[in-house]
């Protein structure tokens, strides 16, 4: 898997469309991700979304890296608008923050086949709500100021 951070602006005057700031991750499709109809299985798509958000939120010195030891997936929605197949690898998964609250945040996703223009319709549109969680107390916890600041950088306007 290759990940690439990407910063895009807003819609400019004169008809030029520029997408909002998004993190892009390249995620490889494995042969085992395919179902009998030769497209990516739903459960595997959920796993590919997870693999895409790991480098964005949990790796290295990111302010949100602490969430890897304490967060829970609270909600998940996946809509399929087109098929994705093994030959579409690596998938481009664009992610941004749709909603940011005291203890949780919602990530928006658009998934496209390799090489497809970023302004083309995505094959998959998804969202996940992730809540910060304290393992020791078994309770939700508030996001830290550093976590909120980092997540707000990726907020959809």
């Amino acid at each position: 898997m290759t990940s690439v951070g990407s910063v895009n602006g807003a819609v400019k005057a004169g008809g030029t469309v520029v997408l909002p700031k998004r993190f892009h991750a390249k995620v490889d499709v494995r042969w085992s991700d395919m179902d009998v109809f030769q497209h990516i299985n739903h459960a595997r798509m959920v796993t590919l979304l997870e693999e895409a958000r790991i480098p964005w939120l949990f790796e290295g010195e990111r302010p949100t890296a602490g969430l890897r030891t304490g967060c829970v997936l609270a909600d998940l929605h996946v809509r399929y608008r087109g098929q994705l197949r093994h030959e579409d690898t690596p998938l481009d998964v664009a992610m941004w923050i749709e909603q940011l609250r005291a203890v949780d945040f919602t990530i928006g996703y658009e998934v496209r086949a390799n090489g497809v223009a970023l302004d083309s319709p995505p094959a998959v549109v998804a969202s996940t709500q992730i809540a910060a969680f304290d393992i020791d107390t078994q309770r939700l916890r508030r996001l830290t100021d550093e976590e909120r600041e980092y997540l707000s950088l990726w907020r959809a306007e």
Side-chain angles (χ1 to χ4, degrees):
M1 175 179 60
T2 306
S3 62
V4 179
S6 174
V7 177
N8 296 319
V11 176
K12 295 182 179 180
T16 303
V17 176
V18 179
L19 299 172
K21 183 176 180 179
R22 295 177 178 193
F23 186 91
H24 288 265
K26 296 289 188 181
V27 181
D28 290 325
V29 178
R30 296 168 294 263
W31 189 253
S32 61
D33 294 334
M34 310 312 296
D35 65 15
V36 70
F37 302 109
Q38 299 303 306
H39 58 255
I40 298 173
N41 173 279
H42 171 71
R44 298 300 192 144
M45 179 55 68
V46 171
T47 299
L48 293 170
L49 295 175
E50 177 182 26
E51 290 175 7
R53 73 176 170 261
I54 287 171
W56 178 38
L57 298 177
F58 305 131
E59 286 185 351
E61 299 299 318
R62 301 214 191 277
T64 50
L67 290 171
R68 67 181 163 223
T69 60
C71 69
V72 293
L73 184 72
D75 193 32
L76 167 71
H77 295 271
V78 182
R79 287 194 339 207
Y80 297 92
R81 295 181 170 173
Q83 292 188 29
L84 290 169
R85 299 174 183 271
H86 188 266
E87 59 265 20
D88 294 326
T89 197
L91 301 178
D92 178 66
V93 182
M95 296 166 284
W96 64 96
I97 299 298
E98 289 183 344
Q99 185 175 39
L100 179 58
R101 300 187 316 176
V103 299
D104 64 17
F105 55 97
T106 303
I107 301 171
Y109 303 81
E110 290 181 346
V111 183
R112 292 177 177 80
N114 185 40
V116 173
L118 296 178
D119 61 351
S120 67
V124 176
V125 176
S127 67
T128 55
Q129 179 187 13
I130 297 177
F133 193 75
D134 185 318
I135 298 295
D136 295 332
T137 64
Q138 291 294 296
R139 294 184 182 269
L140 295 177
R141 68 162 177 86
R142 294 179 83 72
L143 292 165
T144 66
D145 290 342
E146 294 79 18
E147 290 167 343
R148 289 182 56 76
E149 184 178 330
Y150 178 72
L151 292 169
S152 68
L153 293 174
W154 300 96
R155 188 132 191 219
E157 300 297 327

